[in-house]
């Protein structure tokens, strides 16, 4: 509703600060666009294999070997129409009605929806007590005889939190011990801020990857959201099942986008470093500014490009929920943020800093003004 209201306000000529988008505000790097243009000129406009072109698959394999020292076979890799399709394929190919799927809170809104679509039951793991960082002990407590799958998203959307590699390994040891499959959503893989380090579940020992699917995306790292291109890396049998799902739903991802994605992985990476440096600058300013707002509490995100402040200190009078707070922001402050309740975290809001620092500063100024008004009420 807030997003629709923002559209209406803009149409009426009102200056709206939009801190809601979950996509980079950067353009796709030029060398990636040029690769797509070359593909068009070369006539690469036909069907490709369902799994994707050999060129893209070898680029994905090469990327993980260079960056993480892990070698995958072609039969373990497939291209998808975005990271979302990789996750969809993995869930639909694996779970049956009655199965339980563990999903840590806060979660990306699509996770439980796909689980329900597949006829399984989402089981949520509360992580607020550990600062929204999943632990092996939390996973262990949530497992039942019906547990089939665990979904992990690190760096996280919406919280920006990053699971430390040692803890991630312990989580995978628990999952392996109980025969549970795991999806590691690594959509924000490269957007990690020091002292945290870029890390992938691909670096785990083979025995801990026997039931692991890595869902990856070019959307965030290379500002390619509209290209709809991603990938999945999983054991051969799981990948084969996912290919059957994809073959009878969408077939191959767009041929031109595949050529561009191969260039993204194979080409120069300075564009990624430049985006990360700018996100880091915005993040540093934003977290400090949010901590000065009355009623706000915010943990420092180690990755992605979101802040996820606790605004329960602002909920009073008629503003009793985070949804009501978000609505007041759009109506009175003409500023859009995302309600945390949609991510399973009532009382929180998600603020995207994938926008210019100037607009970010203006948005926070407006948010602070509303928070001060509510505090004085």
């Amino acid at each position: 509703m807030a997003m629709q209201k923002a559209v209406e306000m803009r149409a009426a000529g009102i200056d709206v600060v939009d801190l809601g988008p979950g996509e980079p505000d950067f353009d796709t790097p030029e060398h990636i666009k040029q690769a797509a243009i070359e593909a068009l000129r070369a006539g690469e406009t036909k069907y490709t294999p369902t799994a994707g072109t050999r060129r893209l698959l070898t680029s994905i394999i090469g990327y993980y070997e260079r960056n993480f020292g892990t070698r995958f076979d072609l039969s373990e890799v497939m291209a998808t129409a975005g990271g979302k399709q990789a996750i969809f394929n993995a869930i639909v190919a694996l779970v049956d009605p009655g199965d339980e799927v563990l999903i840590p809170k806060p979660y990306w809104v699509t996770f439980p929806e796909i689980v329900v679509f597949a006829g399984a039951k989402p089981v949520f793991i509360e992580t607020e007590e550990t600062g929204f960082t999943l632990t092996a002990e939390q996973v262990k407590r949530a497992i039942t005889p019906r547990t089939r799958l665990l979904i992990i998203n690190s760096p996280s959307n919406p919280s920006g939190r990053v699971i430390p590699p040692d803890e991630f390994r312990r989580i995978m040891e628990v999952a392996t011990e109980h025969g549970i499959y795991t999806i590691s959503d690594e959509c924000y893989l490269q957007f990690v801020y020091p002292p945290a380090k870029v890390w992938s579940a691909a670096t785990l020992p083979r025995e801990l990857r026997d039931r692991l699917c890595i869902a990856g995306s070019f959307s965030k790292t290379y500002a390619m959201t509209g290209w709809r291109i991603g990938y999945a890396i999983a054991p051969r049998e799981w990948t084969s099942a996912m290919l059957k799902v994809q073959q009878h739903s969408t077939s191959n991802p767009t041929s031109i986008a595949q050529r561009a994605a191969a260039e993204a992985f194979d080409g120069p990476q300075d564009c990624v470093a430049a985006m990360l440096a700018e996100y880091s600058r915005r993040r540093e300013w934003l977290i400090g500014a949010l901590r000065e707002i009355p009623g706000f509490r915010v943990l420092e995100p180690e990755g992605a490009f979101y802040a996820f402040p606790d605004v329960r200190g602002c909920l009073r009078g008629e503003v009793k929920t985070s949804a009501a707070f978000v609505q007041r922001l759009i109506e009175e402050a003409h500023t859009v943020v995302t309600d945390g309740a949609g991510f399973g975290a009532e009382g929180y809001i998600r603020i995207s800093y994938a926008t210019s620092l100037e607009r970010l500063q203006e948005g926070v100024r407006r948010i602070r003004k509303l928070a001060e008004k509510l505090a004085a009420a």
Side-chain angles (χ1 to χ4, degrees), residues 183-201:
I183 295 173
S184 177
D185 176 1
E186 300 184 359
C187 180
Y188 297 89
L189 176 64
Q190 291 290 345
F191 290 155
V192 176
Y193 310 101
K197 295 181 179 179
V198 174
W199 181 87
S200 170

Side-chain angles (χ1 to χ4, degrees), residues 93-291:
L94 180 71
V95 305
D96 294 315
D99 286 344
E100 293 180 353
V101 178
L102 301 181
I103 304 175
K105 287 185 175 181
Y107 46 77
W108 183 43
V109 294
T110 295
F111 292 155
E113 296 300 326
I114 299 176
V115 171
V116 171
F117 176 88
K121 177 185 177 182
V123 175
F124 301 109
I125 301 177
E126 299 287 349
T127 65
E128 188 172 14
E129 65 179 12
T130 53
F132 292 145
T133 301
L134 183 68
T135 68
E137 183 58 35
Q138 290 168 338
V139 173
K140 189 173 183 178
R141 290 198 303 262
I143 292 172
T144 76
R146 289 185 175 274
T147 304
R148 177 71 165 167
L149 175 67
L150 165 67
I151 303 175
I152 302 175
N153 176 211
S154 177
S156 164
N157 174 11
S159 72
R161 302 315 302 275
V162 173
I163 300 172
D166 288 347
E167 190 63 36
F168 202 115
R169 178 172 180 143
R170 284 190 284 270
I171 290 169
M172 291 302 300
E173 288 171 346
V174 169
T176 298
E177 179 185 346
H178 290 81
I180 295 168
Y181 289 81
T182 303
I183 295 173
S184 177
D185 176 1
E186 300 184 359
C187 180
Y188 297 89
L189 176 64
Q190 291 290 345
F191 290 155
V192 176
Y193 310 101
K197 295 181 179 179
V198 174
W199 181 87
S200 170
T203 64
L204 292 167
R206 186 75 212 195
E207 63 269 20
L208 296 182
R209 291 189 281 114
D210 283 343
R211 290 184 174 86
L212 171 70
C213 174
I214 294 171
S217 173
F218 295 87
S219 293
K220 316 298 183 179
T221 306
Y222 299 99
M224 295 175 68
T225 51
W227 297 74
R228 305 315 303 134
I229 187 75
Y231 57 92
I233 305 174
R236 183 181 292 110
E237 296 78 9
W238 199 354
T239 301
S240 177
M242 288 191 280
L243 281 170
K244 292 177 183 177
V245 174
Q246 185 159 300
Q247 182 178 8
H248 298 293
S249 55
T250 63
S251 297
N252 61 275
T254 303
S255 58
I256 300 96
Q258 290 189 58
R259 173 73 173 272
E263 174 61 25
F265 268 178
D266 292 341
Q269 302 297 305
D270 53 330
C271 55
V272 180
M275 283 188 271
L276 181 60
E278 178 58 22
Y279 287 139
S280 183
R281 185 171 77 101
R282 298 172 188 175
R283 165 183 168 269
E284 182 178 359
W285 179 85
L286 176 62
I287 299 306
L290 292 177
R291 286 175 173 166

